[in-house]
Amino acid sequence: MIHGSEKLIFEQGRAGRVGVDVEDVCLIELDAALPEELRRGPLADFPEVSEPEMVRHYTRLSQRNVGIDDTFYPLGSCTMKYNPRMNETVAGMKGFAWLHPAMPVSETQNAFRILWELEQMLKEICGMDAFTLNPVAGAHGELTGLKVIRAAIRARGEKRDKVLIPTSAHGTNPASAMLAGFTPINIEVNPDGSVNLEALEKVLDENVAAMMITNPSTLGLFEINIKKIADMLHAKGAFLYCDGANLNALVGITRPGDMGFDVIQTNTHKTFSTPHGGGGPGAGPVGVKGELTPFLPYPRIEKFGKDSYGNDFFIPMTEGRSIGRIHSYYGNFLVLLRAYVYLRTMGARGLREVAEAAVLNANYLRVSLRDVGYRVAFDRPCMHECLITDENMPKGVVTMDIAKRLIDKGFHPMTVYFPLTVHDAMLIEPTETETKETLDAFIRAMGEIAEEAKAAPELLHDAPHVTPVQRVDDVDANRPKNLNMKWEVFCGICS
Ligand SMILES: *Cc1c(COP(=O)(O)O)cnc(C)c1O
């Protein structure tokens, strides 16, 4: 069984041992009140452990987590930046944490004010005319943005049904296009990573609803022809959609709205610092330009005159040509609150420094990793992430070996084998929150791995060596039917 040296909780303790004695408290009365047919027969096989055994078990397991609070986490495309504790402190305040969205609007004015002000800041940062904060993830924002585009196209009386997507795009882009009822069409990228304009020209007709572009792209490169692409699409009456997951490279320097984008989803859990990973809560606010505004989902927070004390009054509106609700109430309020605190504490100058440092750090890695023996996929200045490959490594040493060996050196691996258009890709995003010392330690580790690849490749093939679970079979791990995910009691009674 693969669970390292930590036994399952069911395998610990001893028959009859209990953590808490609840018998005297209320179970007897409860027992009497409960109708016969609802009572459990034989007791389930609960673990029989003492409270300290239980606490130690889960504490040990929690220490096996790897996160941004333990180590450098350069997972490309994910923007694993440090999340300031200030955000957590504010999100934990009773006045926020205990709010219920069904409370009277007049009693939750300051929550609405925060949402409204966050919308204003996002409009300014992205160069858009209106924002909705309701979507709860980047991919959810993509779906929302595309549904808004679809509604606007239908309102014009048109039937456009194609969405163009460069082959380097994140997998969520074609998936969202399908879910929104469009047909995704691939557009080739050039050897330098930019969108191939001839390929675009060929398929661009009156049936195209939109093109989705990630800028900077998932190759970590700025789309140099963005203005031209915007003009081509607009000339045909189509919309330009920005997958804004990579906004960290641009904040405070340039604005997607100014590049000609009509819609953008932002990933607050990436750019605006909320702990994420493992499917935790996020937020994917969507910004749009003028024509699309009436179709945004509701509720939309509006500033509605003043109350009797002269304070601004905010109300959630539900009318219009909106696509309707895409989530309960107002989205993930506490995630949005963290983004708000982050933006207020950074300020305009701080945000610009975020992008500057993120790009500087990525370029420092690009040049330094090249110097220790890795091939850089596109050797020109990158944005917030750099892309290398295993091409210069000895035969037999592959991307996965390098990534796994990094774990032994104390780092979370980079993103591997993505984007799909680059063979054996390693996508590295340092973010702005890392010091030069950390980056240098990472470069040293990568240099050591390049040396080991020549001198002792088996060290890489068998890595990781320091973890409770060593190299897993990636293929089998993706086939649930080959995995035993269930603990069973192996005893005489059951078998
Ligand atoms: C992370 C990411 C997404 C998806 O965002 P989620 O919040 O995980 O749904 C989409 N596109 C790109 C380029 C991303 O990096």
Side-chain angles (χ1 to χ4, degrees), residues 76-78 136-140 142 169-173 214 218 243 245-246 265 267 269-270 282-283 418:
S77 202
C78 294
V136 294
H140 196 200
E142 292 172 30
H170 197 270
T172 49
N173 289 188
T214 311
T218 57
D243 179 334
N246 291 344
Q265 115 271 347
N267 292 40
H269 43 295
K270 292 178 181 173
F418 175 81

Side-chain angles (χ1 to χ4, degrees), residues 65-75 78-85 274-277 412 429-431 433-434 438:
N65 277 339
V66 174
I68 191 67
D69 292 341
D70 309 275
T71 184
F72 183 45
Y73 203 130
L75 201 57
C78 294
T79 313
M80 304 302 283
K81 65 169 76 173
Y82 171 74
N83 307 117
R85 285 301 178 273
T274 301
H276 67 293
H412 190 286
E429 180 177 4
T431 82
T433 59
E434 299 303 330
T438 303

Side-chain angles (χ1 to χ4, degrees), residues 368-388:
S368 308
L369 292 173
R370 188 187 57 200
D371 291 347
V372 298
Y374 294 90
R375 189 181 86 92
V376 174
F378 301 96
D379 210 359
R380 59 169 158 118
C382 60
M383 297 297 284
H384 62 309
E385 52 195 356
C386 75
L387 189 57
I388 61 171

Side-chain angles (χ1 to χ4, degrees), residues 372 374 392-398 401-409 444-465:
V372 298
Y374 294 90
N392 294 347
M393 295 295 117
K395 222 174 143 49
V397 168
V398 296
D401 296 331
I402 298 164
K404 297 287 188 191
R405 185 65 177 147
L406 262 181
I407 300 172
D408 287 339
K409 310 262 178 199
R444 261 198 314 281
M446 287 293 283
E448 286 165 19
I449 293 173
E451 291 305 314
E452 290 167 357
K454 286 182 233 149
E458 66 287 348
L459 264 181
L460 274 63
H461 298 319
D462 301 339
H465 303 270

